[in-house]
Amino acid sequence: MEIRTFEGSSHCGKVRFTVATTRNKVVVCNCSICQKKGARLLRVAPEEFELLTGCDELVAYRFGTGVAAHYFCPNCGIHPFGRPRSAPDMININIQCLDTIDPDDAGFDFIPFDGQHWEESVATLNSAMAANHS
């Protein structure tokens, strides 16, 4: 599979990043925070992600177990990426923050995740995501 490179940012542009990946599975989660944010999440390895600007701007929001980190720009409030509880060694890119593509026309494979029943559903999610990248 071909490596695709995406550029993304917060609304105000203070936080900017690039992603270079072959991954195409995007998690559509219905947990309390993802549902309210409207985030759709592309899970990538840290080496596939580069934060270009805004490192000093970002604020992390944590709740529940405190494992997941939901990073947002304090200037505009947008959530461009985070660290998922289901795979804390990875980075979840909010594809709604990608600047260089229309997320609905980018060929992503959308994977529903029942985050409202996280404990019962996480093994199925991680299995589906592992099938994405071998």
Side-chain angles (χ1 to χ4, degrees), residues 37-106:
K37 286 188 299 192
R40 298 184 293 170
L41 305 166
L42 175 67
R43 185 189 292 177
V44 300
E47 60 271 15
E48 297 173 309
F49 173 81
E50 183 179 3
L51 182 58
L52 302 173
T53 63
C55 183
D56 295 337
E57 301 289 327
L58 289 170
V59 176
Y61 173 67
R62 296 174 188 263
F63 67 98
T65 64
V67 174
H70 304 266
Y71 293 102
F72 67 94
C73 174
N75 188 57
C76 65
I78 297 299
H79 162 73
F81 62 91
R83 295 265 185 184
R85 177 179 168 205
S86 57
D89 59 327
M90 301 292 276
I91 298 172
N92 271 346
I93 306 301
N94 181 358
I95 66 167
Q96 300 302 114
C97 292
L98 297 179
D99 298 330
T100 53
I101 61 159
D102 177 344
D104 292 319
D105 294 331

